Amino acid sequence: MIELKQLTKTYGNKKKATTALSGLNLTVKKGEIFGVIGHSGAGKSTLIRCINLLERPTEGEVWVGGVELTKLKRRELQQQRRKIGMIFQHFNLLSSATVYDNIAFPLKLMGVPKLQIAAKVNELLELVGLTQHQKKYPAQLSGGQKQRVGIARALASDPDVLLCDEATSALDPQTTDSILNLLLEINRKFHLTILLITHEMHVIQRICDRVAVIHQGGIVEEGPVTEVFLKPRHTVTREFISRELAGDEGFRQTSSVPLPAWARLVRITFLGAKTYESVLSQVVRETGVNFAILQGTISTIKDTPYGQLTVSFEGDNAKVDETLELLRQRDLDVEVIG
């Protein structure tokens, strides 16, 4: 649905050029929720603005729905942009227009008849839960309500793609969760492709199918959220996850505790239904090794439950090796960390 090929964006002239994106490649599949996470200045906002050509790339190609946007003339580009909805961090609503008129605005620009506009706006008001607020102005709304107006407005032209530029970073945690639930509902109901950028790992964990980590204008890690969360490879990814997952903090606390020289320190990761099964206790009963759970966490990544344990195994080395192998045979991820 979205394909970026060797995308480069440079600001300034040759003597004082600043490169925001450098040879970036990215593919987003139809119907998925794809997250891009990175620190401030990593190139996130430039990336998302290049997709709908609010920023024109210096080099590279932007494909959306099988159409190369970077080759289109102005009028053709305007037509294609109708298939790309966008919601913003600070809402970008018309302050002098009501909720109803804010949502209707793109339809009026398209010349849609008044009766069709009314039907569409009322449908969207119900979808985002703002039917009772349609005559209010933005100043009379909460942050979460303003973002719901922004979402409804972005959906007015029936887009194939929804771009979200830090859509929840200006909201409190409870409101953030309600907006994420709404985006998830929209994705499932309309099979709408959603690409969102954020600096919050919680957002990625809650609703995304896949994630890319952007750093210094390039993608440094990419994959299914479960894989990136549970087995991060890049330093930047580990930084984000260590802030989000209690497991990493717990490990830092317990890793300073002196262990017997013969103990084996192991991180065990459970995914899916196995998160709630007594696999560890079953295996150690078979092998007879002693163990102590030093730290543990259970949570979910989108709809997938997972668990992580930091465990100290004590006993005969051969028996400990057998225990770890039996755990692996039961489809658990086992990593010796000390």
Side-chain angles (χ1 to χ4, degrees), residues 105-251:
F105 183 67
L107 297 174
K108 291 178 180 178
L109 290 180
M110 293 164 57
V112 177
K114 186 174 290 188
L115 288 178
Q116 291 183 28
I117 290 176
K120 187 64 178 179
V121 172
N122 287 329
E123 174 191 337
L124 291 169
L125 284 167
E126 184 175 356
L127 175 68
V128 301
L130 292 177
T131 301
Q132 304 301 317
H133 302 280
Q134 61 180 294
K135 294 182 179 180
K136 291 183 178 179
Y137 291 87
Q140 298 172 289
L141 303 177
S142 68
Q145 290 170 334
K146 290 177 184 177
Q147 196 57 284
R148 287 173 180 269
V149 177
I151 292 171
R153 180 186 57 190
L155 296 176
S157 60
D158 294 319
D160 299 322
V161 173
L162 183 62
L163 305 179
C164 305
D165 186 2
E166 296 276 13
T168 60
S169 63
L171 306 175
D172 62 76
Q174 185 175 357
T175 305
T176 291
D177 285 345
S178 71
I179 294 298
L180 294 179
N181 288 337
L182 176 59
L183 291 174
L184 196 56
E185 177 188 351
I186 290 167
N187 168 257
R188 290 170 173 169
K189 184 173 182 177
F190 302 111
H191 201 57
L192 187 67
T193 304
I194 298 178
L195 185 146
L196 61 87
I197 65 168
T198 183
H199 63 274
E200 300 171 297
M201 208 62 175
H202 166 73
V203 172
I204 303 294
Q205 183 184 3
R206 278 292 307 276
I207 68 169
C208 291
D209 301 298
R210 291 193 300 136
V211 60
V213 183
I214 187 171
H215 180 61
Q216 295 180 346
I219 302 299
V220 296
E221 187 160 359
E222 180 183 351
V225 177
T226 50
E227 290 183 12
V228 174
F229 247 71
L230 301 178
K231 300 184 73 174
R233 300 186 306 274
H234 196 274
T235 303
V236 174
T237 314
R238 290 195 291 268
E239 288 176 2
F240 278 113
I241 293 173
S242 67
R243 296 175 188 174
E244 182 64 32
L245 300 180
D248 289 305
E249 181 64 31
F251 173 65

Side-chain angles (χ1 to χ4, degrees), residues 25-45:
N25 295 290
L26 190 68
T27 300
V28 179
K29 301 174 185 176
K30 181 176 176 58
E32 74 176 339
I33 303 180
F34 192 101
V36 177
I37 189 167
H39 294 296
S40 297
K44 303 188 302 298
S45 293

Side-chain angles (χ1 to χ4, degrees), residues 16 88-89 98 144 151 193 197 233 279 322:
K16 295 184 178 180
F88 303 88
Q89 177 181 1
T98 64
I151 292 171
T193 304
I197 65 168
R233 300 186 306 274
V279 180
E322 180 186 357

